[in-house]
Amino acid sequence: MIGLNHYLLLGTVLFGIGAYGVFAKRNAIAVLMSIELMLNAVNVNFVAINRFLQPAAGMGQLFAIFVIVVAAAEVAVGLALIISIYRHRKSVDLNDFNLLKW
Amino acid sequence: MIMNMDSLVFLIISAFTIASALGVVLSRNIIHSALALILTFLGVAMNFFDLGASFLGLVQILVYAGAISVLIIFAIMLVMKPDSAATNPPTPSRDTHFIGGLLAWLVMIGVGMAIGLTRWPAMASEPAEADAVGTLATLLLGNYVVAFEAAAILLLLAAVGAIILAKGDENP
């Protein structure tokens, strides 16, 4: 029988994969994609808790909608930043992004 | 052991989701990573459908698999180098891999054990799946209307900010 724990474990595994991607990737866009994976893991948890525990009707889905909204805003600004840096540095390698180092 | 249909569906969907998530992280070609990301979004959407959150599944397909992935692919096309096989290399530093892998395993094991040890409270009420959109609409435009408006302003600001950032200087 599939219960809450299975879905929470799925969310945990997705989050772990995303966390590893943030560390192991050099391309800034790939790091953004890993962050999207982590946000999706959180959404899975919200919807599963909404389905199995039902704290109040629809509450988990409401939270997930706000996560999706913030993720959309975040990815738009993040990609704009990457394109803006690419124009100056001709690179999307995170090791080349040392504007704030001195 | 005979598995019932629900378990089989869950296993297939979650295996698909995790496999494509691994594809995002492990692929060395960033286009392949982006396509695997779309598959991951679709897998998560299937999970939402499985959980009875059909509206959220549709939003997931529209916003994530539709809009965000197109945005990411456009950005990739704008900044990609001609040699596509080496566009998404892993970090050369072994230490970073070690720390990242260790952190990911710690998160998975720690949270997994916490999930296993937690006693969940019994469900407060039966899930009302028939009118999920109506429930969400009542919540969004009722008690949580301030958060709804704040999210709208956030989206507007993010769109304007993204345009300003990506346009750059008029006369550098």
Side-chain angles (χ1 to χ4, degrees), chain A residues 12-70:
Chain A
T12 309
V13 171
L14 272 183
F15 191 92
I17 293 172
Y20 174 70
V22 169
F23 275 86
K25 284 299 177 184
R26 256 166 53 182
N27 191 323
I29 296 178
V31 172
L32 262 185
M33 291 200 252
S34 303
I35 293 174
E36 292 301 311
L37 279 184
M38 290 157 80
L39 289 167
N40 265 285
V42 173
N43 276 349
V44 171
N45 279 6
F46 273 135
V47 178
I49 286 177
N50 178 66
R51 165 74 178 72
F52 288 103
L53 295 182
Q54 196 83 301
M59 197 58 83
Q61 297 191 25
L62 190 75
F63 273 49
I65 285 181
F66 282 115
V67 171
I68 289 176
V69 169
V70 175

